[in-house]
Amino acid sequence: MSVSERRASARTAVVWEALEPVLAGGPLDVLDIGGGTGGFAVRVAELGHRVTVVDPSPDALAALARRAREAGVEVAGVQGDVSSLLEVAAPGGADVVLCHGVLEVVDDPAAATTTIREVLRPGGTLSLLVAQRHAAVVARAMAGHFAQALELLDPSSSAAGQSRTGHRFTSAELTTLLADAGLEVVSVHGVRVFADLVPGSLLDLEPGAAGALVELERAVSDRAEYLPLATQVHVLATA
Ligand SMILES: C[S@@+](CC[C@H](N)C(=O)[O-])C[C@H]1O[C@@H](n2cnc3c(N)ncnc32)[C@H](O)[C@@H]1O
């Protein structure tokens, strides 16, 4: 495994572990909104589920098709947007919705969450992965972008929650967003608490380091005191 694969696995291990019981039954109808090139979707299809990716990018959908073909699985790719999701997905038709790394870039996260609720069947599960604001403030400051860090810091400022690269969320804001959409939070995990801070050379040179990092990420993922340090927050919520 290459260093980038090892780092990728340390970045997603906590999410996969949380999803394991959700994807244990099946086959399920899984809708991956903004599923991009299929990093999650193809692996979910490999577990035997019926997966549809809705994404506005034709390039991403082409890469998804290639990846699915190489893996020998079927994943339906549909060009579309979360704001017009109900034009391409049936209301109440999804057992599971994945929305990973997307809420940051949509114009209206509250409207998007409400639409997601509508495509989930009653009792269905949303897996939501978003960039976490406190870690984004620290990352900006450490990179010397102090004005940007300050912009992101204050929830009452007009720029708060939305940096130049999109919205950032605290776990409290997510809980409110999901409750307003009629979704009930089942679990909250911090993702990439350390994975983005560790130099790649360390993962490459130190035998066993990548595995130990995954173990550490798992151990801190449900500790509230580490949540503000996590690059992303992962929430499972039911409709
Ligand atoms: C950061 S990538 C995440 C890809 C994938 N979900 C993952 O976790 O690897 C964001 C994806 O969201 C898609 N996207 C951007 N705006 C969107 C929108 N309004 N509705 C749905 N998807 C969108 C992009 O085309 C891109 O594939």
Side-chain angles (χ1 to χ4, degrees), residues 122-206:
T125 301
L126 166 65
S127 169
L128 182 65
L129 183 64
V130 295
Q132 200 266 124
R133 170 134 37 94
H134 302 309
V137 172
V138 174
R140 297 288 190 289
M142 285 179 72
H145 303 309
F146 306 121
Q148 286 181 25
L150 194 61
E151 255 179 42
L152 269 177
L153 186 64
D154 181 6
S156 63
S157 93
S158 59
Q162 183 161 24
S163 74
R164 273 159 255 269
T165 50
H167 304 279
R168 298 289 180 268
F169 302 86
T170 65
S171 69
E173 286 162 357
L174 280 183
T175 304
T176 305
L177 193 69
L178 293 168
D180 288 349
L183 290 155
E184 191 180 338
V185 172
V186 175
S187 69
V188 178
H189 287 102
V191 177
R192 293 159 58 177
V193 174
F194 302 112
D196 297 348
L197 304 174
V198 175
S201 56
L202 198 150
L203 293 185
D204 211 13
L205 298 174
E206 197 68 36

Side-chain angles (χ1 to χ4, degrees), residues 78-94:
V78 179
Q79 196 174 359
D81 196 273
V82 69
S83 62
S84 52
L85 193 60
L86 288 162
E87 290 170 21
V88 294

Side-chain angles (χ1 to χ4, degrees), residues 29-144:
D29 287 311
V30 180
L31 188 59
D32 189 350
I33 299 168
T37 60
F40 276 87
V42 168
R43 208 165 136 186
V44 173
E46 285 176 318
L47 295 173
H49 302 296
R50 295 178 290 266
V51 185
T52 302
V53 168
V54 176
D55 199 289
S57 161
D59 288 347
L61 291 173
L64 161 73
R66 272 196 303 277
R67 194 193 282 242
R69 213 170 30 246
E70 280 164 20
V73 292
E74 289 218 359
V75 175
V78 179
Q79 196 174 359
D81 196 273
V82 69
S83 62
S84 52
L85 193 60
L86 288 162
E87 290 170 21
V88 294
D95 298 305
V96 177
V97 168
L98 308 182
C99 184
H100 294 174
V102 179
L103 225 50
E104 296 89 332
V105 295
V106 303
D107 292 336
D108 186 346
T113 321
T114 302
T115 307
I116 288 169
R117 163 76 183 82
E118 286 175 48
V119 298
L120 270 173
R121 70 159 168 79
T125 301
L126 166 65
S127 169
L128 182 65
L129 183 64
V130 295
Q132 200 266 124
R133 170 134 37 94
H134 302 309
V137 172
V138 174
R140 297 288 190 289
M142 285 179 72

